Amino acid sequence: MTAQEIFDILKTQFGDAIIETKFDTMQPWVRIAPNKTKEICFFLRDDSAMQFDYLSCLSGMDYNTGTFGVVYHLASIVHKHKIVLKAFCTKDNPHIQSVSAVWGTANWHEREVFDLYGIIFDEHPDLRRLLMPDDWEGHPLRKDYKVQEFYHGMKVPY
Amino acid sequence: MGLLDQRFENGNVFITSLDGLLNWARLSSLWQMQFGLACCAIEMMAASASNFDIMRFGVIPRATPRQVDVMFVAGTVTIKMASRIKRLYDQMSEPRYVISVGSCATCGGPYWEHGYHVLKGVDRVIPVDVYIPGCPPRPEALLEGIMKLQEKVRKESMVKKRA
Amino acid sequence: MLTEFGKAFIFFLLGVIFVILGLFGAWIFRPRRPYPEKNATYECGEEPVGSAWIRLNVRFYVIALVFLIFDVEVAVLFPWALVYRQFGLFGFLEMAVFLVILFVGYAYVWLKGDLDWDKPKPEIPIMKRTLVAETEIESKHVLVDDDGIVE
């Protein structure tokens, strides 16, 4: 199935939650609303024509304009097609609905995104820091991140 | 002392001081706590294997800090790991030495500029005796580091105040 | 002048003295600088959590006990093996009786299952819902039961 077909099916199913698509790039993507990601992903996983049963990757993005995003790379082992979903949110309201109920692997991927970007995933079962120590200040991969001077008596910058 | 004068010049007697004897005993059996964290650990394994063989220097790997003399910090030290290194160094018994293997453990290595999670040099948490530069250092460099530590141990003394 | 036992005793004594000298020498020369962080329990670098005493499975104790009994039996067999010829048939039968008694005990332990090293059975996860892809594009959902496929 091409990205255009997937976009059409999603648009008829969900209407306003599907915002735009860009299918002339190497990896065609569909932009979805951040508060409906779980519904859309359940549909993508369970629908017999799509069956995206494999979440290849879930990554965070900081677009440097005050917008954050989460990029989902989905693949279907049954039908052998792929799609990329993007969900954007602002820095002031960094909330995106979690998809860890859809694919179990999203649990730790979303924890990593929370740890490094500060995007809060609603309805996530266990949202806490994964890579950085638990009492670290700040979210390191943000574009405006300044590393802290001291951590438990150790000097952090060079 | 006419009895003992010029009787032992053929090399059949060996005299030493207590310091010399103890230091020789200590440097010939520097048991190590292998602390392989990252890529330098592979070089440490290569040095322990048959081609370079640090065991012939008396350096046996032990898993616990209680039974070791030297800790090879081989690899990138992250901030999360640094508190564990401090605790393990505390649990080693004197006389204890630290060899920092590779540039990540010496100064943060390639992560010195942008690595927010890397401790720029393990000497920010524990005192280091020998630094081995390299990314990663060849096993021969590791052996040279061990020999440098042996030289340092040879010069120690029970009566001299240590730093 | 000295019996054979006496010579063995001297040997044993020298061994003990060697060990004591070594430990005593180490005690004189080693540094002793304890402080609280050094005396903390070792837990691979983490803060120690919980008690250091763990409960072992009782099967270790059972096997050790059974081993001890039969080890003593073997230890008794050795001197008998050296001298049984001069006692003839009587010596042989005496040891045979001893072995039969112990063999009855061994059979009891074996048949009771005390020598089995039980491993827990691995639990195979039962899939309640799975997808079956056919050669055509169409795929359908099937429910898998314990016995087979039920549509």
Side-chain angles (χ1 to χ4, degrees):
Chain A
M1 285 181 91
T2 64
Q4 182 65 46
E5 288 170 22
I6 295 174
F7 175 70
D8 291 331
I9 296 176
L10 283 175
K11 196 78 179 170
T12 47
Q13 189 83 15
F14 292 101
D16 277 334
I18 314 294
I19 301 167
E20 54 172 330
T21 176
K22 193 169 161 63
F23 49 88
D24 53 355
T25 55
M26 223 164 40
Q27 284 184 327
W29 51 270
V30 175
R31 184 173 156 202
I32 58 180
N35 52 352
K36 290 248 174 49
T37 53
K38 192 156 85 162
E39 270 185 67
I40 299 174
C41 290
F42 262 123
F43 174 74
L44 283 171
R45 189 194 72 172
D46 295 332
D47 182 59
S48 51
M50 313 253 228
Q51 271 179 233
F52 283 106
D53 46 6
Y54 182 47
L55 175 68
S56 302
C57 194
L58 196 165
S59 8
M61 273 297 304
D62 181 354
Y63 293 100
N64 214 6
T65 53
T67 317
F68 286 164
V70 172
V71 181
Y72 305 82
H73 287 251
L74 307 179
S76 171
I77 298 178
V78 174
H79 293 301
K80 300 184 180 44
H81 53 221
K82 299 194 257 211
I83 189 72
V84 175
L85 299 177
K86 294 196 186 191
F88 297 152
C89 62
T90 58
K91 200 158 148 201
D92 306 319
N93 183 26
H95 285 263
I96 295 185
Q97 202 183 28
S98 162
V99 296
S100 41
V102 186
W103 299 284
T105 173
N107 196 328
W108 274 30
H109 281 82
E110 286 175 351
R111 270 180 66 184
E112 185 194 355
V113 173
F114 166 69
D115 186 8
L116 298 170
Y117 286 96
I119 297 175
I120 298 175
F121 288 91
D122 306 318
E123 296 161 37
H124 190 275
D126 185 21
L127 197 65
R128 54 193 163 101
R129 283 192 182 269
L130 186 75
L131 300 166
M132 303 307 297
D134 286 328
D135 48 356
W136 193 257
E137 289 154 16
H139 297 278
L141 284 181
R142 289 189 175 185
K143 298 282 188 219
D144 55 356
Y145 173 70
K146 283 262 161 328
V147 77
Q148 60 190 68
E149 270 294 313
F150 279 96
Y151 174 75
H152 283 194
M154 294 179 266
K155 182 151 180 279
V156 177
Y158 184 64
Chain B
M1 290 284 241
L3 212 56
L4 297 173
D5 191 32
Q6 287 176 341
R7 292 284 295 279
F8 304 110
E9 278 163 11
N10 306 342
N12 48 5
V13 171
F14 174 66
I15 64 166
T16 180
S17 61
L18 190 61
D19 259 342
L21 180 68
L22 283 179
N23 290 340
W24 167 80
R26 282 187 176 142
L27 64 88
S28 313
S29 75
L30 283 168
W31 288 10
Q32 60 141 329
M33 182 162 85
Q34 48 199 17
F35 210 69
L37 298 169
C39 1
C40 280
I42 311 287
E43 290 297 329
M44 197 171 67
M45 293 175 211
S48 312
S50 54
N51 215 353
F52 298 97
D53 200 12
I54 52 177
M55 252 197 225
R56 62 193 155 113
F57 289 83
V59 179
I60 304 179
R62 305 292 299 163
T64 158
R66 307 283 192 197
Q67 299 168 358
V68 300
D69 305 302
V70 60
M71 180 155 90
F72 283 105
V73 182
T76 316
V77 179
T78 51
I79 309 255
K80 234 174 169 176
M81 192 60 176
S83 47
R84 277 88 176 163
I85 292 187
K86 177 88 180 58
R87 223 169 270 130
L88 285 170
Y89 176 76
D90 278 332
Q91 289 173 349
M92 281 167 73
S93 359
E94 269 94 2
R96 53 190 178 189
Y97 308 95
V98 174
I99 294 187
S100 122
V101 181
S103 59
C104 282
T106 306
C107 60
Y111 307 105
W112 69 272
E113 204 181 359
H114 298 295
Y116 46 86
H117 60 300
V118 169
L119 188 70
K120 317 289 187 298
V122 77
D123 51 3
R124 289 189 179 185
V125 287
I126 55 178
V128 173
D129 295 289
V130 175
Y131 297 88
I132 304 177
C135 189
R138 272 198 62 92
E140 290 108 335
L142 202 71
L143 290 175
E144 191 189 344
I146 295 174
M147 289 168 70
K148 257 207 167 24
L149 183 65
Q150 287 182 335
E151 287 308 313
K152 183 174 178 174
V153 174
R154 203 186 304 267
K155 295 201 198 80
E156 281 188 353
S157 167
M158 282 198 299
V159 296
K160 251 189 282 192
K161 243 176 131 61
R162 280 194 208 110
Chain C
M1 196 260 300
L2 208 58
T3 64
E4 295 298 319
F5 278 120
K7 291 179 188 153
F9 178 69
I10 301 277
F11 188 64
F12 171 75
L13 213 59
L14 283 173
V16 168
I17 289 174
F18 180 71
V19 167
I20 290 181
L21 268 180
L23 290 175
F24 181 67
W27 180 70
I28 298 180
F29 291 117
R30 65 172 172 244
R32 201 160 24 253
R33 297 169 214 154
Y35 54 93
E37 282 84 19
K38 199 198 256 195
N39 294 336
T41 311
Y42 170 68
E43 198 168 302
C44 297
E46 304 275 349
E47 287 281 339
V49 166
S51 163
W53 291 88
I54 57 169
R55 291 181 63 177
L56 290 172
N57 202 304
V58 72
R59 65 173 86 118
F60 294 105
Y61 173 71
V62 170
I63 295 286
L65 208 56
V66 171
F67 163 75
L68 187 66
I69 293 171
F70 289 99
D71 203 35
V72 169
E73 173 194 351
V74 169
V76 166
L77 271 173
F78 272 112
W80 167 79
L82 289 171
V83 298
Y84 91 103
R85 247 183 218 283
Q86 68 193 70
F87 290 116
L89 186 66
F90 174 70
F92 179 74
L93 283 177
E94 199 173 17
M95 186 44 92
V97 166
F98 176 66
L99 281 179
V100 161
I101 295 173
L102 280 171
F103 184 73
V104 168
Y106 179 49
Y108 172 77
V109 166
W110 189 344
L111 293 171
K112 207 62 171 32
D114 287 334
L115 293 178
D116 290 339
W117 195 263
D118 282 329
K119 284 191 179 61
K121 282 199 193 30
E123 254 202 51
I124 301 164
I126 301 169
M127 305 256 286
K128 283 282 174 287
R129 191 183 165 82
T130 184
L131 299 162
V132 173
E134 317 223 324
T135 49
E136 289 98 331
I137 315 276
E138 256 232 10
S139 63
K140 50 188 184 206
H141 292 235
V142 293
L143 280 167
V144 177
D145 218 337
D146 282 311
D147 320 307
I149 302 185
V150 173
E151 298 200 24

